[in-house]
Amino acid sequence: PASKYLYFEANRNITEIILINLNSVELIRVSNETQMDIDTVPDGVYFCRIKMDNGRIINRKVVKISQ
């Protein structure tokens, strides 16, 4: 679970990270970053779509909880 920030590590360069809710609505998009501020989104379950510099796309489930 995360409460304020999501941090990402990869062997390749991350070109874009997109936070998507369960209704497939894009909430946050960051480019060329390895962190994302999720403090403004409500608690819940989300998906992160992580795009790599080689074109690969990785999808991960994220749970956001308040502290």
Side-chain angles (χ1 to χ4, degrees), residues 8-37:
F8 301 89
E9 287 185 20
N11 293 334
R12 310 268 324 182
N13 289 331
I14 297 172
T15 58
E16 188 173 62
I17 306 166
I18 305 169
L19 187 71
I20 302 166
N21 69 13
L22 295 179
N23 294 321
S24 299
V25 176
E26 181 182 311
L27 302 175
I28 301 172
R29 179 186 296 247
V30 295
S31 297
N32 300 311
E33 301 270 342
T34 57
Q35 71 178 19
M36 176 184 279
D37 183 351

Side-chain angles (χ1 to χ4, degrees), residues 10-15 50-58:
N11 293 334
R12 310 268 324 182
N13 289 331
I14 297 172
T15 58
I50 306 158
K51 296 182 181 181
M52 311 302 283
D53 62 355
N54 63 353
R56 183 173 178 204
I57 297 173
I58 301 167

